[in-house]
């Protein structure tokens, strides 16, 4: 069955960077776009960006433009996100989610805490 | 960006009673293929969001038929025919028509 398993929680200081992984299984990785979505404490869902694992093409939210990037590794069916120049307001649970329009399967979430 | 507006934001419901959540988009979500690119998700406490309804009215795999979605264009509704304790959580609508994908603010359903 379809599974998305994310890497563990991270703690960073302001100005640092973080890279999170999302390993997929149970479906053909190259057939589905992959999204990243985050949820700040007590807040709603915010879409961050999307990648086509077939060709590596990406689209990002303007809000994080320049600080956020998504990559993928088809050999391990894994998608990655990296956020640089971290700020306290980047503290959130980060989720990967499958499919361009449906976001039908989600990872378990990765808590990133940014604090001095 | 397409703005998604949900109401109500808080919804206390008596077990066994129906519930309804509205979602309005700032522009039509109708794709040229005839589908409305509107999804509904439930985020149970401490869990990831789970897809309930896609393309406005199609139930996702394994979703019980007490959940139904309706609407088209800019006005959509999620209905739960009989609320149970397991239905508590945050309900979100989401548009997938164009990037950036955007979500409603969320509606918190709890049991009276």
């Amino acid at each position: 069955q379809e599974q998305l398993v994310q890497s563990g929680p991270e703690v960073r200081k302001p100005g640092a960077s973080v890279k999170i992984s999302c390993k997929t299984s149970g479906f053909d990785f190259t057939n589905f776009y992959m999204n990243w979505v985050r949820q700040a404490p007590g807040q709603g869902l915010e879409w961050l960006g999307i990648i086509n694992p077939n060709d590596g093409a990406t689209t990002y939210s303007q809000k994080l433009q320049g600080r956020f990037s998504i990559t993928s590794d088809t050999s391990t069916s894994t998608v990655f996100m990296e956020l640089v120049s971290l700020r306290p307001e980047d503290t959130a649970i980060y989720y990967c989610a499958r499919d361009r329009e449906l976001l039908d399967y989600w990872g378990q979430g990765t808590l990133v805490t940014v604090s001095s | 960006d397409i703005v998604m507006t949900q109401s109500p934001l808080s919804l206390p419901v008596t077990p066994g009673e129906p519930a309804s959540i509205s979602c309005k988009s700032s522009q039509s979500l109708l794709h040229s293929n005839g589908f409305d690119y509107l999804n509904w998700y439930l985020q149970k406490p401490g869990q990831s969001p789970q897809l309930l309804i896609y393309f406005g009215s199609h139930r996702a795999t394994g979703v019980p038929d007490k959940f139904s979605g309706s609407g088209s264009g800019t006005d959509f509704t999620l209905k739960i025919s009989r609320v149970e304790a397991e239905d508590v959580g945050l309900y979100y609508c989401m548009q997938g028509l164009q990037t950036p994908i955007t979500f409603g603010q969320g509606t918190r359903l709890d049991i009276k």
Side-chain angles (χ1 to χ4, degrees), chain A:
Chain A
Q1 71 280 21
E2 297 85 346
Q3 283 197 307
L4 286 67
V5 179
Q6 299 181 220
S7 49
E10 303 276 8
V11 179
R12 294 287 187 274
K13 294 188 184 304
S17 63
V18 69
K19 189 170 184 177
I20 300 169
S21 66
C22 169
K23 183 169 176 57
T24 73
S25 61
F27 62 94
D28 188 341
F29 182 66
T30 57
N31 280 351
F32 293 88
Y33 285 65
M34 294 295 296
N35 300 270
W36 286 94
V37 175
R38 74 178 178 183
Q39 185 171 37
Q43 302 299 307
L45 300 169
E46 178 187 12
W47 180 82
L48 303 178
I50 191 170
I51 187 167
N52 179 353
N54 253 325
D55 59 10
T58 54
T59 302
Y60 301 127
S61 165
Q62 292 275 357
K63 184 177 177 182
L64 293 183
Q65 201 83 20
R67 294 200 298 131
F68 180 76
S69 61
I70 305 175
T71 55
S72 65
D73 181 348
T74 55
S75 69
T76 59
S77 300
T78 302
V79 61
F80 303 88
M81 60 146 278
E82 185 171 23
L83 188 57
V84 303
S85 301
L86 286 166
R87 307 164 182 170
E89 55 265 34
D90 293 320
T91 294
I93 298 174
Y94 289 76
Y95 297 100
C96 56
R98 188 186 82 159
D99 196 84
R100 183 166 53 180
E101 296 97 6
L102 299 190
L103 282 73
D104 55 356
Y105 289 92
W106 294 60
Q108 82 277 19
T110 297
L111 175 62
V112 175
T113 303
V114 183
S115 173
S116 54

Side-chain angles (χ1 to χ4, degrees), chain B residues 89-108:
Chain B
L90 280 161
Y91 289 80
Y92 293 95
C93 60
M94 183 210 88
Q95 66 82 17
L97 183 68
Q98 61 183 232
T99 57
I101 287 173
T102 47
F103 295 87
Q105 317 97 300
T107 294
R108 184 175 299 279

